[in-house]
Amino acid sequence: MRKKLSFDYYILLFFLVSFLGWLWEVGIYLVRERRFVNRGITIGPWLPVYGAGALLLYFLLHKWRKRPFLVFFISMTVCSALEYGTGFVLEKMWGVKWWDYSDMLLNLNGHICLASCLMFGVGGVLLLSFLLPRYTALYHKAPAKIRAFISLCLLVLFVMDAAYSADFPHMGRGITY
């Protein structure tokens, strides 16, 4: 029988995957350009689109986590739609792109491309089959008060970062196109 999950489970999952997404993109730039680039619209070490995608996949697919082909194709579709929508909205709000796949194979308005869609499928399988079981085990080992404190701190920092970034979005070389 599954243990009941508190709201902080989802908050911490959001921030864990947002941070892992930030690490992924920082790593790409370290390899490609041999320099640190703090990716994303916010200042903090998180990319909320990754956290939002993880939560969407959790709610949609956790029951099917043992069906990797299904998870792959649904993850690919859902996350690609999320990335396209996010890229579209960010571009309309601020008039710049935070990513541009225009030079990539089978891209759609530079917001998504075949390679990123395939990576989202792989990422969904890794999230549901590998990361979530380990995260859930660690979550249940941590005391509830510590989980709540960390969640509250992260939320406060994120709200402050998001409020600041709404007026002064993080832009520049390697960040916007």
Side-chain angles (χ1 to χ4, degrees), residues 38 43 55:
N38 182 14
I43 305 300
L55 291 177

Side-chain angles (χ1 to χ4, degrees), residues 142-173:
K145 287 183 181 182
I146 291 175
R147 293 190 322 248
F149 177 75
I150 292 170
S151 296
L152 180 62
C153 289
L154 287 169
L155 282 172
V156 167
L157 288 171
F158 181 74
V159 167
M160 290 175 14
D161 190 1
Y164 176 81
S165 298
D167 284 337
F168 307 102
H170 192 222
M171 296 183 191
R173 182 174 166 237

